[in-house]
Amino acid sequence: GAVVSQHPSRVICKSGTSVKIECRSLDFQATTMFWYRQFPKQSLMLMATSNEGSKATYEQGVEKDKFLINHASLTLSTLTVTSAHPEDSSFYICSARDGRGGTEAFFGQGTRLTVV
Amino acid sequence: DAKTTQPPSMDCAEGRAANLPCNHSTISGNEYVYWYRQIHSQGPQYIIHGLKNNETNEMASLIITEDRKSSTLILPHATLRDTAVYYCIVRVAAMDSSYKLIFGSGTRLLVRP
């Protein structure tokens, strides 16, 4: 199946700093990417939908100024957690769908963010 | 998108079939049923999807009832590596990228030695 790569897999940052997470589709072009957040023992929660070349669409309750999403190319989307706080510590996962019409979405391996 | 209901946990013996049920009684005619699984601390893995007909691939089989209000994912010969959380998701079929995958709580499957 198609490969979606996230980087970094783990990151620890100090409270108040910003962290950027990259999501790349390695063998296909992804016109749309999705960003999820998952707290321990909970399900994935969709944060936003990222469309190449346009502004991301955020789910209700997700602060767009805190979670900056950029999808500048068909193979790369980034999520920046700005002014991170300990409550932002979570597992962040991206997903991408092949823009040529594939129906299933492929997920990255996730990024474990710890804010200290 | 239609809501899905799954049992919170199940277990089965290694080598036996694992049958994971999912209810989606409000599903619409153009909504697909997708199954993903998530092994601890990893991203979800696609398993299978279907619309009306039963489907089979190298990983599993998907049985959809005739009224489409429920489905069952079958892992024919479960192994210890199949221990994971299994998510049943319903999404609208679209050729563009306008859909979203909304995850429910899933079923935690434990395969016993």
Side-chain angles (χ1 to χ4, degrees):
Chain A
V3 178
V4 175
S5 177
Q6 268 184 256
H7 178 80
S9 58
R10 291 177 179 270
V11 58
I12 300 173
C13 72
K14 291 184 178 181
S15 185
T17 62
S18 296
V19 174
K20 180 183 286 188
I21 302 170
E22 293 186 348
C23 179
R24 295 181 183 273
S25 56
L26 298 186
D27 52 359
F28 66 98
Q29 293 184 331
T31 52
T32 302
M33 290 185 175
F34 306 87
W35 286 95
Y36 293 82
R37 180 168 55 182
Q38 185 176 33
F39 292 108
K41 298 187 178 182
Q42 294 187 21
S43 184
L44 285 77
M45 184 192 77
L46 180 65
M47 299 175 66
T49 301
S50 165
N51 294 294
E52 187 266 336
S54 63
K55 291 182 178 180
T57 302
Y58 290 81
E59 295 298 303
Q60 189 174 8
V62 178
E63 301 176 59
K64 62 180 181 180
D65 294 330
K66 181 169 183 61
F67 299 99
L68 302 179
I69 292 173
N70 183 279
H71 192 163
S73 76
L74 288 172
T75 59
L76 173 65
S77 177
T78 60
L79 168 68
T80 301
V81 183
T82 63
S83 187
H85 291 285
E87 56 266 31
D88 298 323
S89 298
S90 187
F91 193 51
Y92 292 87
I93 308 168
C94 73
S95 171
R97 179 172 167 266
D98 192 332
R100 294 169 296 179
T103 56
E104 64 264 34
F106 299 97
F107 287 79
Q109 70 271 38
T111 298
R112 176 77 58 193
L113 170 63
T114 302
V115 184
V116 298
Chain B
D1 292 343
K3 181 178 179 180
T4 61
T5 304
Q6 298 177 253
S9 64
M10 294 182 65
D11 66 80
C12 75
E14 186 178 19
R16 304 296 295 268
N19 299 296
L20 292 86
C22 179
N23 286 323
H24 31 80
S25 59
T26 60
I27 193 170
S28 299
N30 62 344
E31 292 183 321
Y32 282 77
V33 179
Y34 278 68
W35 284 84
Y36 284 79
R37 71 180 182 184
Q38 185 179 28
I39 297 171
H40 183 62
S41 295
Q42 296 183 22
Q45 176 189 22
Y46 167 80
I47 301 174
I48 199 168
H49 74 280
L51 181 63
K52 295 180 180 179
N53 301 320
N54 298 337
E55 302 288 344
T56 296
N57 62 20
E58 64 277 6
M59 290 183 66
S61 294
L62 174 60
I63 308 299
I64 303 174
T65 58
E66 192 170 341
D67 62 7
R68 303 188 68 242
K69 293 184 177 182
S70 65
S71 61
T72 300
L73 178 73
I74 301 173
L75 307 178
H77 305 286
T79 70
L80 298 180
R81 288 176 295 180
D82 292 323
T83 292
V85 178
Y86 287 76
Y87 295 99
C88 168
I89 303 164
V90 173
R91 51 145 282 205
V92 177
M95 291 306 294
D96 60 14
S97 302
S98 60
Y99 74 89
K100 299 183 291 188
L101 288 180
I102 306 299
F103 285 73
S105 54
T107 295
R108 187 173 298 276
L109 175 67
L110 174 63
V111 180
R112 296 176 280 103

